[in-house]
Amino acid sequence: MPKGVTNRRPRTRAALLRAALETFAEHGFHAVSIEQICERAGFTRGAYYSNFASKEELFLALFDEHGERIVHRLAESIDALAPEEYTLERLAELAARVEPDERDWYLVSMEFTLHAIRDAEAARALARHEARLRAELARGLELVLGRAGRELTVDADRFARLIVALREGGLAQSYVEPGELPPGSLERDFLAPLLEAATRPVLSAPPTPPAPTAPATS
């Protein structure tokens, strides 16, 4: 394959993903045609099908991209903390941040979730991608809690599910009533107490006793 084609492919894919997110957010996942996505991105159907086999596959690529971006943003914010800032309250505050572009993604992802509830094959595909994201969240959570001197007393994957539920349920209410419940409010109010209830201080290992000495010989 010519080098120019190889270099163009990631740019083409990125442009299609960006166009798809914008178009889905404006008109809805089911209402949007592949032709509309191609027109917005400035590519042909051939370019689309060389990257994605279907709208479902394109959405799942958007899901992975969004998840990676959120995890990366949170990891950068946490890594910038000073050692004394590793408190449950500070971690909850960082987790509560909602970027301005989150609303578009929320509209698209919730619509696809409803589609997956009605379609068993889509549900299985979405569940696989959600499981990978939760695994990343669970690993990161255990690492960050360790820095704060705490450890989970519950299953990490189950707790990650609870955090996702708090986030998505809170945003649903916030986007309906932004004046009553600004985005991220529920995490700011309740995530630290939840972490407190589901974790315990890491106990220091007991000191190793000295090795017995051999009796002196005469």
Side-chain angles (χ1 to χ4, degrees):
M1 181 182 293
K3 186 176 180 180
V5 174
T6 304
N7 291 338
R8 280 199 305 272
R9 187 180 181 99
R11 294 196 296 272
T12 301
R13 181 181 176 87
L16 287 167
L17 287 170
R18 185 168 58 252
L21 179 60
E22 293 170 354
T23 313
F24 288 158
E26 289 176 12
H27 304 291
F29 176 80
H30 287 293
V32 169
S33 66
I34 290 172
E35 287 78 9
Q36 286 175 286
I37 297 171
C38 293
E39 181 179 355
R40 186 156 196 156
F43 293 106
T44 64
R45 285 174 62 93
Y48 179 95
Y49 283 113
S50 70
N51 286 276
F52 306 104
S54 64
K55 283 200 300 182
E56 285 81 3
E57 184 179 307
L58 185 149
F59 168 81
L60 293 171
L62 280 171
F63 180 97
D64 291 341
E65 182 184 69
H66 179 266
E68 290 170 7
R69 185 166 62 253
I70 293 298
V71 169
H72 180 70
R73 285 175 181 171
L74 187 56
E76 280 191 330
S77 298
I78 290 171
D79 287 342
L81 294 177
E84 65 273 12
E85 292 183 284
Y86 278 95
T87 65
L88 299 184
E89 292 74 19
R90 187 75 175 101
L91 296 176
E93 181 184 335
L94 293 178
R97 290 181 180 174
V98 178
E99 299 296 330
D101 60 1
E102 188 70 13
R103 185 178 182 277
D104 281 356
W105 171 248
Y106 189 84
L107 291 171
V108 176
S109 63
M110 287 301 101
E111 186 180 4
F112 191 87
T113 298
L114 292 175
H115 165 63
I117 291 171
R118 297 185 182 100
D119 185 291
E121 184 176 349
R124 285 190 293 270
L126 179 58
R128 287 194 297 271
H129 287 256
E130 288 182 337
R132 287 200 291 269
L133 177 57
R134 280 200 315 277
E136 287 292 321
L137 291 173
R139 280 193 294 270
L141 179 61
E142 290 181 314
L143 175 63
V144 169
L145 286 172
R147 295 181 188 177
R150 301 189 71 86
E151 62 184 1
L152 282 169
T153 59
V154 297
D155 180 74
D157 180 74
R158 299 282 286 182
F159 196 78
R161 284 183 183 271
L162 178 59
I163 292 175
V164 171
L166 180 62
R167 176 76 161 195
E168 293 182 350
L171 284 176
Q173 297 176 67
S174 295
Y175 290 138
V176 172
E177 297 182 278
E180 293 293 323
L181 189 73
S185 296
L186 293 183
E187 293 98 314
R188 276 188 289 272
D189 291 345
F190 298 109
L191 185 53
L194 282 172
L195 287 168
E196 179 79 29
T199 62
R200 63 189 171 200
V202 176
L203 300 177
S204 301
T208 304
T213 58
T217 56
S218 56

